[in-house]
Amino acid sequence: MKDVSTKPARRLRCAIYTRKSSEEGLEQEFNSLHAQREACEAFIASQKSEGWALVRDQYDDGGISGGTLERPALQQLLADIEDGLVDVVVVYKIDRLSRSLMDFSKLVEVFDRNGVTFVSVTQSFNTTTSMGRLTLNILLSFAQFEREVTAERIRDKVKASRMKGIWMGGNIPLGYDVRDRKLVVNAEEANTVVDIFTRFIEVGSATVLARELRSERLRSKKGTLIDKGYLYRLLNNRVYRGEAVHKGTAYPGEHDAIIDARLWDQVHDILGESPRKRANNSRTQTPALLKGLLFTATGAAMTPSSTKKGTRRYRYYVSMDLLKNRETPDDGIPRRLPADTAEGAVITEIRRVLRTPETTAQVIAKLDRDDIPEADAIAALQQFPELWAQLFPGEQARIIQLLVRRVTVTAEGLVIDLRTDGIAGVMRDLMTPRQLEAAE
């Protein structure tokens, strides 16, 4: 009788993949990843007669969710599979590889394309058979269902807590601290928040206010300088109204409010307008530079006025004689002046006076008493046009009020009476760091 020799089984290179969603316990000497690997190694050893052999490389993802394929060890495993270095992928449970049915179908495509078998130690099936695929899909469906149910439970818990006004964590708003998992008012920061809301009503522009707050080096709870995006989030945060918000719905909160209803409504009436409209409003509400300073030679005050043609607005100064239909002599004195023309003439005169030697000497003498170097004073006088262009309209109007005593409209032109004694004070203001930063 002839001896029949048994043909040795083909060697199958087996790779073990392990995963744990959280980092909790990973620092232990024997953790969940070690337990998964030990069970998989024992299973591979039991299949030694079938030619199974463990590869040296380890594929372990610790602290990474199974809801994504962007995992370092998994990506390395897929790369090795594409390079033909793996024949069998072994896991403790299929949800270690993926919790998403769609993601798992992508992985199975990679396995099939490279002739790789997928094996779960605790769930007996083989992906090379139709029954194994059916079992796999059923198990994956239940794994995904469990994940979605868990997520729904968490969402329901968060919603229920929000409806009771409970603080559920997250970024701590400026104006509050957290004690015993509850928001409590930080008095100093709360005053800052109220000041920001109040200033927004006065300014009417988040862009301008954010620029001012940055120049003042005001910082958020995390220590970063406040920018426009942070300012919008702060102004829209209903936590300051003493409310807890979930999915856009506000509920009475456990914490105390910082902003009262009246101040909140005033701010949000402004925010309710479009940014373009707010910008237009800011321009139209800018104080006229010569308001209260412009008069006709007959003594009649000239008041700011404007008309609109299409999308363009034209500003004027109009004599009260004309507005009140008073009889005026035919003396050639204009009763209506374009605002840009009148204001431009006054600014030009101010610039001319600032360049005169008399004004320079006067300013240097006064600023020297404030320990401001002569060179700095001269440089500020020379740079006045640039500094003026950078100022906000409201600041420009304030400076005009300080420098101009009266502007008289005559038949021959404008007579401008300047307060030269106020020039040094204006230049001192323009030279301070805060004014220069606010103008940037």
Side-chain angles (χ1 to χ4, degrees), residues 205-224:
S205 167
T207 302
V208 173
L209 180 56
R211 186 163 53 210
E212 292 180 2
L213 296 175
R214 287 181 71 87
S215 72
E216 296 166 13
R217 316 303 292 176
L218 190 63
R219 297 181 180 274
S220 68
K221 195 77 173 179
K222 293 183 176 180
T224 59

Side-chain angles (χ1 to χ4, degrees), residues 208-278:
V208 173
L209 180 56
R211 186 163 53 210
E212 292 180 2
L213 296 175
R214 287 181 71 87
S215 72
E216 296 166 13
R217 316 303 292 176
L218 190 63
R219 297 181 180 274
S220 68
K221 195 77 173 179
K222 293 183 176 180
T224 59
L225 289 176
I226 289 180
D227 58 17
K228 184 177 177 181
Y230 180 89
L231 180 59
Y232 270 121
R233 291 194 296 274
L234 184 146
L235 295 174
N236 284 287
N237 193 343
R238 299 193 68 89
V239 168
Y240 296 121
R241 289 285 294 114
E243 298 174 346
V245 180
H246 180 73
K247 300 292 185 181
T249 303
Y251 304 95
E254 288 185 329
H255 60 281
D256 294 330
I258 291 177
I259 303 299
D260 60 39
R262 180 174 175 273
L263 184 56
W264 177 271
D265 291 341
Q266 286 178 317
V267 167
H268 283 263
D269 284 344
I270 298 174
L271 289 174
E273 299 177 349
S274 68
R276 183 181 296 275
K277 184 176 180 181
R278 292 207 306 272

Side-chain angles (χ1 to χ4, degrees), residues 347-380:
I347 294 170
T348 299
E349 177 64 10
I350 291 174
R351 291 174 177 172
R352 185 193 69 78
V353 171
L354 291 179
R355 290 195 297 266
T356 63
E358 297 81 5
T359 299
T360 301
Q362 184 184 64
V363 170
I364 289 174
K366 289 190 175 182
L367 293 184
D368 185 57
R369 291 197 291 268
D370 296 334
D371 294 327
I372 296 178
E374 178 180 327
D376 292 350
I378 295 174

Side-chain angles (χ1 to χ4, degrees), residues 168-233:
M168 292 301 294
N171 294 328
I172 304 173
L174 183 70
Y176 290 98
D177 294 324
V178 174
R179 295 177 192 164
D180 299 326
R181 301 180 65 181
K182 293 184 179 181
L183 290 178
V184 294
V185 175
N186 179 314
E188 183 178 352
E189 292 181 359
N191 290 334
T192 300
V193 172
V194 173
D195 182 61
I196 290 174
F197 272 75
T198 304
R199 289 174 65 177
F200 178 75
I201 295 173
E202 297 171 354
V203 175
S205 167
T207 302
V208 173
L209 180 56
R211 186 163 53 210
E212 292 180 2
L213 296 175
R214 287 181 71 87
S215 72
E216 296 166 13
R217 316 303 292 176
L218 190 63
R219 297 181 180 274
S220 68
K221 195 77 173 179
K222 293 183 176 180
T224 59
L225 289 176
I226 289 180
D227 58 17
K228 184 177 177 181
Y230 180 89
L231 180 59
Y232 270 121
R233 291 194 296 274

Side-chain angles (χ1 to χ4, degrees), residues 58-125:
Q58 296 188 7
Y59 307 92
D60 305 317
D61 280 318
I64 302 178
S65 169
T68 175
L69 295 180
E70 297 303 320
R71 291 170 261 159
L74 178 61
Q75 291 299 318
Q76 183 60 52
L77 173 61
L78 294 177
D80 290 347
I81 289 174
E82 294 287 2
D83 291 340
L85 304 177
V86 176
D87 299 308
V88 181
V89 174
V90 182
V91 297
Y92 182 71
K93 290 177 63 176
I94 59 171
D95 64 358
R96 298 301 89 193
L97 193 63
S98 176
R99 285 182 173 271
S100 168
L101 185 60
M102 183 175 295
D103 287 345
F104 200 91
S105 65
K106 296 177 182 178
L107 295 175
V108 171
E109 288 179 6
V110 176
F111 296 163
D112 287 347
R113 186 171 63 250
N114 293 277
V116 171
T117 301
F118 172 69
V119 174
S120 169
V121 172
T122 59
Q123 298 151 321
S124 181
F125 61 86

